[in-house]
Amino acid sequence: IVAACAANGITTFTFGTSNALLPRNINVHPTRTQYRGVIGADGKFNALGKEWRYDAYYQHGENTTDIRVRDIMLNARYRQAIQATTIGGQIVCADPVARANGCAPINIFGGKAPSEAALAYITPKNGPYQHSVQKQDVASINFSGEPINGWAGPISLAVGGEWRKEQYHVKGDPYGDGNTDSPNTADYPADPILNASGSNWFAGNYHSGAGKYSVKEAYAEVNIPLVNSEAAGRANLNMAGRWTDYSTSGTVWAWKVGGTWELPVDGLRVRGVMSRDVRAPNLSELFAAPVTTTLPNFFDPFTNSNVLAIQNSIGNTALTPEFARNNTAGIALANPSWLPGLNVSFDWYQIKIKDVISSLGANDIVQLCFQKVLNSTCSAFNLSNTNGPNFINVQAFNLASIDTSGFDIEASYRWQQPLGLPGSLTLRGLATHVIKFITDTGLPGTLPVDTAGNNNGATPDWKFLLIQSYENDKFSLLVQERWFSDGVIGNQYVVCSAGNCPASTSQRPTIDQNFLPGAFYLDIGGSVNITKEIVAYAKVDNVFDNAPARTNIFSNPALYDGLGRIYRAGVRFRF
């Protein structure tokens, strides 16, 4: 190589390596300690001529986690170690500053393994380190009673309040975090080769961070019997409201109105609920310290080349709560006297969520800026950084909405001593139908996407699970069938036909075929009670060894069985 470079005037060239010469693998050593204390009380008292119940408690919990990583490279030191030259007949690191700080050369073209001095330089004894502490304090008090006798029975009332505070802080080592937040120490001495702002490790660049929020809540719930008679059955109305004040995002309201009606038909019941539900961003989504991931071949559309970049997953204090409207209605037949053991239910649901908390991927952030679709993402990355590593900041944000609806069907029957045999036979079936699952990011230049029937994701139109099992004191048998319907690769695609293929766009890309078949899997299993303490079992999944459906790119493991027929056998011991 030296001779060829000299003969052809080559002074630099590109070379890739998997660093197979490095003798040790990266090791991660976490230690976690948790403390939790609770004090509470409950009891009864009389007020307004009625008996009331109360319960109250206070809780404090702490979780401390220390993570140490061993045998991992410092990128800047590695780059210095592979840049070697000859001085006085000795092969040394080319940079005099690196040499003065302990640099020992590494030959990445093959041959002998790196020396102990070189390994100690690029993978120092003290690797990435993170110390984090999470704390939670909760105080709650609740009262319940039946203050009023209504026309169909006593009216129940529950009221209460809660206060909750959550906080955390985390600190990383100076090489990963930067010596401003984590000053250099004897274990992590200053090194002019390293970037003072951190992110020097190949992975595990832990950064400092802290955050806290508190929540105050008050609620009231009332249950009102409406009907209680042999002719009309029994019906009740349930209503609840909750006031919540978040220190980070202000005050919100949630409520629920629902009811059940046990019809004057043996075992038959109808039910329905309407609610407004709220989920506020958690500590991680709001205040997470940067978690870094190395992207060795990230595509930079501005230079049309691949670059080494650091992805920083960080919190976003500007997040607001998610709001959902949930409507459900159902009918159930439960254990009627004319066929004990039978249970059948049908439930319809409709859920609409707005301000959904989600995140953009690193590629999307860069592409949206490059395409001038969303200029606000341009400040989240720098791929031509001369003062430190290239980076992309990835954080959660509030999407526009999700709108989904569908229904669930469940049926089961438990037959005691079937055909006079000892034991029981259980038949159970579950089915889910997704009518729609529309996600709207709300980003400029994007369109809502319906993923219902998308077998490339996890929302096929139909999914079934059927189970037949028999068990007695000596053994058990199980037969299970899994099935989901045919679907598409994606509803956003436009299928080209002969002589007609419109121009492909980012919102409506073209495709030659947009079909993924469904799948059926049969599983069987059983167990034998050798003694009361010893049970032997065996199971075969995917008995027919059905192969997964594949596109020309991949198969979806979230739906399709990619392993084929699997045999399992074992023994369980009870002590």
Side-chain angles (χ1 to χ4, degrees):
I1 294 173
V2 173
C5 289
N8 293 276
I10 298 174
T11 58
T12 63
F13 59 90
T14 301
F15 179 79
T17 175
S18 62
N19 287 314
L21 289 174
L22 297 180
R24 294 188 287 264
N25 293 321
I26 298 171
N27 291 283
V28 182
H29 303 271
T31 303
R32 180 175 290 111
T33 305
Q34 186 175 46
Y35 303 95
R36 180 173 179 262
V38 182
I39 183 171
D42 62 77
K44 300 177 181 179
F45 65 94
N46 291 316
L48 302 176
K50 299 291 183 179
E51 183 180 84
W52 294 81
R53 294 172 296 275
Y54 73 89
D55 65 81
Y57 74 91
Y58 171 77
Q59 171 196 287
H60 176 77
E62 293 189 20
N63 186 58
T64 301
T65 304
D66 291 311
I67 300 176
R68 295 184 182 275
V69 184
R70 309 291 190 194
D71 301 318
I72 191 169
M73 290 192 309
L74 285 166
N75 290 333
R77 288 187 181 180
Y78 173 77
R79 288 192 293 268
Q80 294 298 333
I82 65 176
Q83 296 292 334
T85 189
T86 302
I87 298 178
Q90 296 292 323
I91 301 176
V92 296
C93 297
D95 190 322
V97 177
R99 289 201 306 271
N101 284 274
C103 181
I106 293 176
N107 178 11
I108 59 173
F109 295 102
K112 296 181 179 179
S115 66
E116 287 299 320
L119 288 175
Y121 178 70
I122 67 170
T123 58
K125 176 183 177 181
N126 297 306
Y129 171 72
Q130 182 192 63
H131 173 76
S132 61
V133 178
Q134 296 168 302
K135 297 181 181 181
Q136 184 189 65
D137 293 273
V138 181
S140 174
I141 187 168
N142 303 280
F143 300 93
S144 61
E146 297 176 346
I148 301 174
N149 290 318
W151 61 91
I155 296 174
S156 302
L157 175 67
V159 295
E162 182 175 295
W163 170 84
R164 185 174 76 254
K165 181 180 180 180
E166 297 188 26
Q167 56 187 316
Y168 94 105
H169 67 266
V170 60
K171 195 172 187 63
D173 65 276
Y175 294 169
D177 186 27
N179 55 32
T180 299
D181 292 332
S182 301
N184 293 109
T185 63
D187 290 336
Y188 299 91
D191 186 344
I193 295 300
L194 301 180
N195 179 25
S197 62
S199 298
N200 289 289
W201 300 104
F202 174 75
N205 289 290
Y206 301 116
H207 292 266
S208 296
K212 63 181 179 180
Y213 69 86
S214 61
V215 184
K216 298 188 292 288
E217 293 186 300
Y219 77 91
E221 183 174 4
V222 61
N223 188 71
I224 305 173
L226 300 177
V227 177
N228 188 2
S229 69
E230 292 292 333
R234 294 189 302 170
N236 72 287
L237 176 66
N238 182 272
M239 298 183 292
R242 180 179 292 265
W243 169 87
T244 306
D245 180 56
Y246 295 101
S247 62
T248 53
S249 54
T251 301
V252 295
W253 285 90
W255 53 265
K256 177 187 74 170
V257 177
T260 60
W261 182 16
E262 295 183 12
L263 298 169
V265 178
D266 188 11
L268 194 62
R269 181 174 70 250
V270 296
R271 58 202 177 206
V273 176
M274 296 186 299
S275 65
R276 181 181 194 255
D277 308 303
V278 180
R279 188 188 82 86
N282 57 37
L283 271 178
S284 177
E285 292 164 335
L286 288 167
F287 306 110
V291 176
T292 61
T293 304
T294 302
L295 306 176
N297 292 293
F298 185 83
F299 178 70
D300 179 4
F302 295 91
T303 60
N304 197 33
S305 63
N306 291 328
V307 298
L308 175 67
I310 300 294
Q311 175 180 298
N312 298 313
S313 299
I314 61 176
N316 182 2
T317 57
L319 290 174
T320 59
E322 299 175 333
F323 294 90
R325 280 296 307 272
N326 182 16
N327 300 307
T328 63
I331 185 170
L333 179 64
N335 201 34
S337 59
W338 47 269
L339 188 57
L342 175 67
N343 290 277
V344 181
S345 65
F346 175 94
D347 290 282
W348 167 85
Y349 65 87
Q350 180 186 61
I351 304 171
K352 295 182 179 181
I353 312 174
K354 67 177 183 178
D355 297 329
V356 180
I357 298 174
S358 186
S359 61
L360 286 174
N363 285 312
D364 293 328
I365 289 173
V366 175
Q367 285 293 336
L368 287 170
C369 172
F370 175 71
Q371 297 170 359
K372 299 181 179 180
V373 172
L374 194 63
N375 293 330
S376 60
T377 65
C378 296
S379 60
F381 66 91
N382 189 340
L383 298 178
S384 57
N385 199 352
T386 57
N387 297 319
N390 298 321
F391 68 88
I392 305 104
N393 290 331
V394 175
Q395 61 183 176
F397 70 104
N398 289 99
L399 275 170
S401 65
I402 291 177
D403 184 2
T404 182
S405 64
F407 55 81
D408 301 318
I409 304 171
E410 182 174 357
S412 65
Y413 177 61
R414 188 175 181 86
W415 187 7
Q416 299 288 351
Q417 297 183 335
L419 303 177
L421 297 174
S424 61
L425 174 68
T426 302
L427 307 176
R428 190 182 184 206
L430 299 95
T432 296
H433 176 49
V434 180
I435 299 172
K436 64 180 178 180
F437 199 108
I438 301 173
T439 301
D440 183 1
T441 66
L443 295 174
T446 63
L447 297 174
V449 176
D450 186 359
T451 57
N454 183 348
N455 286 10
N456 181 32
T459 50
D461 285 327
W462 282 95
K463 289 179 70 175
F464 282 84
L465 175 64
L466 304 177
I467 302 172
Q468 306 87 47
S469 63
Y470 172 78
E471 59 181 343
N472 58 31
D473 293 337
K474 297 181 178 179
F475 67 90
S476 68
L477 297 172
L478 170 74
V479 180
Q480 177 176 278
E481 298 87 19
R482 297 172 285 146
W483 175 86
F484 59 88
S485 58
D486 295 342
V488 297
I489 299 174
N491 290 316
Q492 73 273 25
Y493 291 107
V494 176
V495 179
C496 294
S497 58
N500 180 23
C501 191
S504 182
T505 66
S506 58
Q507 287 80 30
R508 290 288 182 261
T510 57
I511 195 170
D512 59 345
Q513 66 90 15
N514 191 19
F515 174 78
L516 282 175
F520 172 83
Y521 302 108
L522 174 68
D523 311 322
I524 60 174
S527 65
V528 177
N529 300 324
I530 300 174
T531 69
K532 291 183 178 180
E533 293 78 23
I534 304 175
V535 179
Y537 65 90
K539 192 167 186 287
V540 182
D541 293 332
N542 193 358
V543 172
F544 298 131
D545 198 23
N546 291 335
R550 298 180 182 274
T551 67
N552 60 342
I553 303 175
F554 58 85
S555 175
N556 178 16
L559 285 181
Y560 296 95
D561 185 340
L563 297 178
R565 187 185 299 117
I566 299 175
Y567 301 89
R568 294 185 177 90
V571 179
R572 286 189 288 266
F573 299 89
R574 298 188 182 97
F575 298 97

